[in-house]
Amino acid sequence: MGKRGNRSQLLSTLTKKQKKHLRDFGEEHPFYDRVSGKEAKPQICQLSESSDTSNSESESENEPEQVSGYHKLLATLKNASEEEEEEEEEEEDSVDDAEVNEEDVSSDVSVEEETAAESADVQHDAASSGDPEGNDGEECPAGSSQKSPAEFIDAKHESLFSLESNFLEEEGGAGSSLKVSQDPFVLHVNKELKEKEIQVLPASPKTTHQLKWPVMGQVVFSSRFQEVETFKPPKDIDLKSLHLHKPLDSTWSKTNSQFLSGPPKSNSPFTPLQKELFLVMNSYRDLFYPERTALRNGEEVRCVYCLHVLNHVLKANAQVLSNNSLRRGQKPGLCDDDGFRDQGLTRPKVLIVVPFREAALRVVQLFISLLEGDSKKKIIVSNKKRFQSEYGSDPEERPPNLKRPEDYEAVFVGNIDDHFRIGVAILQRSIRLYAPFYSSDILIASPLGLRTIIGGEGEKKRDFDFLSSIELLIIDQADIYLMQNWEHVLHLMNHMNLLPLDSHGVDFSRVRMWSLNNWTKYYRQTLLFGALQDAQINSVFNKYCVNLQGQVAVRNVPRTGSISQVLVQLPHVFQRMGAESLAAVIDSRFNFFINKILPQYRDAVMSHTLIYVPSYFDYVRLRNYFKKEELNFTHICEYTQKSAVSRARHFFLRGEKQFLLLTERFHFYKRYTIKGIRNVIFYELPTYPHFYSDICNMLRATSRGEEATWTCTVLYAKYDAQRLAAVVGAERAAQMLQSKRNVHLFVTGEQ
């Protein structure tokens, strides 16, 4: 009874969202910390077989594992006392000297190590936890048990939103008018590929052409199917020429009015950026736009792609409903004409991948606004109250005195749960939330939410048939997935547009021929938005985007790098290392560091050295090497408990630990100011360019007159050209990569 009472007392201090994440994953979200002041004695706990995994890197099972870190983590959480989710950093530094001791720090190494390894080990089990066939992939209510036989789905409105049993009753049937119009949607879906074109595609060279647009800048058009066709955006744009489906032509101006703050003489319903983006979207070309930032233009971009999504879905459904009406008026023997082929093998047409529930909430709110407009008659939205409670956030959950950078506040706003998926069905002017996946038009999900339903090879409970007929794929905020788990994105792309294993009740006489031929991937439009140019994101766009209409990518080079934002007087030494190939970079960097860089910092004079490590796997490798060499160091990563973080920062500030290993993902999720830094080593250039200036500016946090001894060392290879250009600028990066010298020096700050 005592243990049960302690557990209930702990649970009473957690929010509903934290309880759900703890139940699903066995640990709290990386954004939250709730750890007791003293170490808890590890206890063995019984875990349910359906426990999901956390959002960890998939390869960390290589770490040594002796006692289950998963059990230790749960035992620690059981004894956690009530405290603020994020304390002020001054409070974190005031750790009691009695509490800070060597044994605690050494024990944190094994707990952190085993926690990360265990979270990767249970990845396989988590993937099988979704049951899309029986439950249609919907989220379990926050207050219900995960062992419930069926997750919530909206079964009440099935017939109301069914495409098979409804007809287009509006005047001037929109579907019939589409057949003779120059609508881009009709031209795209009616374009027929030939078998010969598909066969020669792998050997076909990609033709490219580059243009400069007023707002997006350097735009690269490319195509494998045909001679690349380019165009420039007109000065003025008319909504009628865009072929927007009703009611979007009348509701768009009001919905988008919040972004229209230009000159009064301009009557354009789009901002200059939205106009250029929508012209590319409406041409059904693939698009990669790597300058979408949460602070500057994130909502502007979200608004315009939601317009494109609704325009596509409304036209596709109108075509089906119009053909239903035509078939109903024909005799039974005459209705199997190929002219009625208007569907895919499954109903879901659009997949929107977003990182957090808050983003999904905003997408649905835009859908409602675009369908409703200023009409006095409200549209029907089923399960709206439930959706707002599960995807909304409680303002009281966030401490009011939390001070973080503006970009951090813009990204981590609202409900930041990263495990969700929801189906949305749209029929004329009605929206059905929590629709079964195979009765949905639009799927909104996170990479982790999709990973747990797609499953892995050899698993019994897995399903990816709902991805077979996706015609429009939107991956928003792609850079955040690099901080979550990029493997989930690759896993999703490998399962896009495969032939379904089951028919799911489809009428094959209505399925388009290119869908039956398994050519859907050549008709799928992919819209990829992110905040930076990254090799992994570029790889996804180049490898998986094979739209027959071609691709459009924005390729602007940074004029000035983030080094210009460093405010402290600091010498920056960039050291180039040799690497025979891209695959050899990891080992080359490690050997270069331990043989060339580390010996310079082993002397006690070079104390207070921060080593910034972007990759978690490099961090584990360095940590194991430091332990083997018995160096005086401490370490912080995204899996480190809060009490251990406080001790590590305390030791580093006091100079009791010479080195501090810090991962990029910890900085991304926490943004703590590390005090006591005198020397910085960038083991690799940071993923986000502004993280470089963030780390360098931390040196002034505890300035005590030793500014003359500050140093900054950066390791880079020729394969880091993009990241190097983002830090020092494109022109300097080109000179550094072509130079015969391997060492370059920059000095920032006032002279």
Side-chain angles (χ1 to χ4, degrees):
M1 291 298 291
K3 290 183 179 180
R4 193 170 295 176
N6 291 337
R7 182 178 182 183
S8 61
Q9 184 179 2
L10 169 63
L11 292 177
S12 65
T13 65
L14 300 178
T15 63
K16 183 169 69 173
K17 183 170 63 179
Q18 289 170 315
K19 289 178 185 176
K20 182 178 185 300
H21 206 284
L22 181 62
R23 182 181 64 252
D24 289 348
F25 300 106
E27 64 177 356
E28 294 190 69
H29 193 279
F31 184 77
Y32 298 104
D33 279 317
R34 192 178 293 275
V35 182
S36 61
K38 60 181 180 179
E39 292 296 315
K41 185 178 179 180
Q43 299 177 4
I44 302 301
C45 308
Q46 294 298 325
L47 300 178
S48 61
E49 295 180 357
S50 59
S51 296
D52 283 345
T53 183
S54 66
N55 195 16
S56 65
E57 305 284 355
S58 61
E59 298 178 26
S60 57
E61 63 264 11
N62 296 329
E63 297 185 58
E65 180 181 45
Q66 298 174 357
V67 181
S68 173
Y70 198 45
H71 296 158
K72 289 188 177 183
L73 182 62
L74 286 180
T76 304
L77 289 171
K78 282 188 176 182
N79 292 275
S81 60
E82 182 176 3
E83 59 182 40
E84 291 292 330
E85 294 165 2
E86 297 280 0
E87 296 180 356
E88 284 299 310
E89 298 183 4
E90 288 77 8
E91 296 174 2
E92 292 165 8
D93 288 332
S94 60
V95 181
D96 220 2
D97 290 338
E99 182 187 357
V100 180
N101 54 70
E102 294 291 339
E103 294 179 0
D104 289 341
V105 174
S106 61
S107 66
D108 289 329
V109 176
S110 59
V111 172
E112 166 198 310
E113 186 175 282
E114 292 159 1
T115 301
E118 183 69 23
S119 61
D121 290 338
V122 300
Q123 185 89 21
H124 180 78
D125 297 332
S128 62
S129 63
D131 187 5
E133 194 63 40
N135 304 328
D136 297 297
E138 295 313 314
E139 284 300 296
C140 180
S144 63
S145 170
Q146 194 177 354
K147 292 184 179 180
S148 57
E151 296 174 344
F152 173 75
I153 57 172
D154 178 19
K156 185 170 63 174
H157 301 91
E158 185 67 27
S159 60
L160 180 64
F161 286 84
S162 172
L163 288 180
E164 290 78 13
S165 58
N166 283 280
F167 306 92
L168 190 67
E169 303 293 351
E170 295 181 359
E171 295 182 3
S176 59
S177 63
L178 289 175
K179 294 182 179 179
V180 294
S181 72
Q182 293 300 308
D183 189 297
F185 166 79
V186 178
L187 295 177
H188 178 63
V189 298
N190 288 348
K191 189 169 184 176
E192 295 184 3
L193 283 175
K194 297 179 181 178
E195 183 75 30
K196 197 174 187 180
E197 294 178 276
I198 302 297
Q199 291 175 350
V200 300
L201 186 62
S204 301
K206 179 182 286 189
T207 58
T208 62
H209 189 76
Q210 184 168 312
L211 293 177
K212 187 171 184 179
W213 282 22
V215 179
M216 291 199 296
Q218 296 296 331
V219 178
V220 178
F221 290 79
S222 59
S223 177
R224 286 186 181 274
F225 280 93
Q226 55 194 5
E227 192 68 28
V228 63
E229 297 179 4
T230 63
F231 64 94
K232 283 193 173 183
K235 292 183 179 180
D236 298 317
I237 192 169
D238 183 16
L239 278 179
K240 294 182 180 178
S241 65
L242 298 177
H243 302 278
L244 294 180
H245 195 279
K246 293 181 180 180
L248 302 178
D249 51 354
S250 59
T251 61
W252 168 250
S253 297
K254 181 183 178 182
T255 302
N256 197 49
S257 59
Q258 57 182 317
F259 304 111
L260 301 176
S261 57
K265 61 181 180 180
S266 175
N267 296 323
S268 173
F270 296 91
T271 66
L273 173 62
Q274 287 177 331
K275 179 179 71 174
E276 296 184 4
L277 288 174
F278 190 75
L279 285 173
V280 176
M281 294 178 190
N282 208 33
S283 67
Y284 280 90
R285 291 173 169 88
D286 294 328
L287 172 64
F288 175 35
Y289 182 67
E291 298 177 12
R292 178 246 190 260
T293 59
L295 263 180
R296 189 163 53 91
N297 55 16
E299 296 307 309
E300 195 178 343
V301 171
R302 196 196 317 272
C303 196
V304 74
Y305 76 62
C306 284
L307 171 68
H308 181 55
V309 166
L310 282 184
N311 195 37
H312 179 85
V313 170
L314 290 174
K315 288 177 181 178
N317 287 353
Q319 191 177 42
V320 174
L321 298 180
S322 177
N323 286 340
N324 287 350
S325 300
L326 293 175
R327 284 165 60 94
R328 182 174 58 173
Q330 289 186 352
K331 295 181 180 180
L334 301 176
C335 61
D336 293 329
D337 187 17
D338 280 353
F340 294 115
R341 294 190 179 274
D342 50 19
Q343 302 174 23
L345 290 165
T346 54
R347 178 170 173 177
K349 308 170 184 65
V350 179
L351 173 62
I352 303 177
V353 182
V354 288
F356 304 121
R357 284 180 182 254
E358 174 67 21
L361 176 68
R362 295 187 182 188
V363 167
V364 172
Q365 287 173 340
L366 280 172
F367 287 164
I368 296 173
S369 178
L370 285 168
L371 290 177
E372 209 166 57
D374 54 359
S375 175
K376 295 180 180 179
K377 185 179 179 182
K378 300 292 183 181
I379 65 171
I380 301 172
V381 183
S382 62
N383 306 300
K384 183 177 181 181
K385 187 175 180 181
R386 182 190 190 96
F387 175 74
Q388 289 176 336
S389 68
E390 293 187 0
Y391 285 76
S393 61
D394 185 0
E396 296 181 358
E397 291 183 359
R398 195 178 187 87
N401 60 347
L402 184 65
K403 294 181 181 179
R404 291 291 182 268
E406 290 183 348
D407 66 295
Y408 179 92
E409 298 286 354
V411 170
F412 294 102
V413 63
N415 190 333
I416 58 165
D417 181 21
D418 60 358
H419 184 220
F420 62 90
R421 52 186 177 265
I422 185 172
V424 181
I426 295 178
L427 199 63
Q428 299 182 25
R429 299 192 65 177
S430 301
I431 297 180
R432 179 192 185 193
L433 302 176
Y434 295 99
F437 266 26
Y438 291 99
S439 300
S440 301
D441 297 300
I442 304 169
L443 307 178
I444 308 174
S446 65
L448 178 60
L450 290 169
R451 177 65 179 84
T452 55
I453 195 174
I454 294 173
E457 194 69 33
E459 295 178 9
K460 292 182 179 179
K461 293 183 179 180
R462 60 183 310 219
D463 185 16
F464 45 85
D465 287 357
F466 57 88
L467 299 172
S468 63
S469 298
I470 296 294
E471 300 165 1
L472 176 55
L473 170 63
I474 297 176
I475 302 178
D476 197 9
Q477 296 176 270
D479 53 289
I480 294 181
Y481 309 137
L482 295 172
M483 299 292 109
Q484 292 179 344
N485 194 335
W486 189 249
E487 291 295 326
H488 295 334
V489 177
L490 299 179
H491 193 72
L492 166 66
M493 299 306 296
N494 287 326
H495 289 82
M496 289 295 300
N497 301 121
L498 302 179
L499 283 175
L501 303 178
D502 191 11
S503 64
H504 300 282
V506 66
D507 181 358
F508 287 98
S509 67
R510 300 286 296 272
V511 178
R512 297 187 181 98
M513 290 306 300
W514 49 261
S515 187
L516 292 173
N517 290 334
N518 195 24
W519 294 347
T520 308
K521 64 181 179 180
Y522 303 119
Y523 288 81
R524 186 192 75 230
Q525 182 186 27
T526 304
L527 307 179
L528 188 57
F529 302 102
L532 48 87
Q533 294 269 12
D534 186 86
Q536 296 181 85
I537 301 176
N538 288 336
S539 174
V540 165
F541 186 75
N542 294 331
K543 180 178 179 180
Y544 295 100
C545 298
V546 289
N547 189 341
L548 62 88
Q549 301 290 355
Q551 290 75 42
V552 175
V554 177
R555 304 291 187 190
N556 293 319
V557 294
R559 298 292 180 186
T560 58
S562 60
I563 195 173
S564 62
Q565 299 168 5
V566 178
L567 304 178
V568 297
Q569 186 171 346
L570 182 67
H572 305 256
V573 179
F574 286 77
Q575 300 214 19
R576 186 176 64 197
M577 58 184 189
E580 297 179 358
S581 64
L582 183 60
V585 168
I586 296 175
D587 289 333
S588 298
R589 178 178 282 109
F590 178 75
N591 293 326
F592 185 84
F593 176 79
I594 63 175
N595 295 324
K596 302 289 186 181
I597 305 299
L598 191 58
Q600 304 173 23
Y601 290 85
R602 281 179 177 263
D603 196 295
V605 179
M606 305 297 288
S607 61
H608 297 273
T609 299
L610 172 72
I611 304 175
Y612 180 88
V613 190
S615 169
Y616 177 76
F617 306 114
D618 288 335
Y619 161 82
V620 171
R621 189 176 187 180
L622 286 175
R623 187 191 64 199
N624 293 341
Y625 176 80
F626 277 37
K627 288 170 62 179
K628 180 182 177 182
E629 295 294 316
E630 298 182 349
L631 296 178
N632 184 23
F633 82 104
T634 185
H635 52 88
I636 301 175
C637 75
E638 57 270 23
Y639 301 109
T640 307
Q641 301 173 20
K642 188 175 182 180
S643 58
V645 171
S646 297
R647 288 193 295 275
R649 295 174 67 192
H650 175 83
F651 285 143
F652 186 70
L653 176 61
R654 295 288 183 87
E656 298 177 28
K657 298 293 183 182
Q658 183 176 354
F659 297 100
L660 171 61
L661 294 177
L662 183 77
T663 63
E664 184 172 68
R665 287 178 64 185
F666 176 84
H667 182 67
F668 174 79
Y669 279 110
K670 300 299 182 183
R671 306 294 175 92
Y672 288 172
T673 298
I674 306 298
K675 297 180 180 180
I677 305 173
R678 296 179 189 173
N679 307 289
V680 178
I681 300 176
F682 285 91
Y683 186 77
E684 183 182 358
L685 287 161
T687 304
Y688 286 91
H690 66 276
F691 283 2
Y692 183 86
S693 56
D694 286 352
I695 299 297
C696 291
N697 288 330
M698 287 182 186
L699 273 74
R700 62 178 179 173
T702 51
S703 178
R704 297 174 181 172
E706 66 276 353
E707 290 87 347
T709 63
W710 287 349
T711 66
C712 176
T713 303
V714 185
L715 278 65
Y716 73 97
K718 62 181 180 181
Y719 301 103
D720 299 325
Q722 281 185 329
R723 293 189 179 187
L724 183 64
V727 171
V728 302
E731 186 176 345
R732 286 175 176 173
Q735 294 174 356
M736 293 168 64
L737 292 171
Q738 295 171 4
S739 173
K740 295 181 179 179
R741 294 182 299 168
N742 292 328
V743 181
H744 295 82
L745 173 66
F746 298 88
V747 180
T748 58
E750 298 180 359
Q751 299 297 325

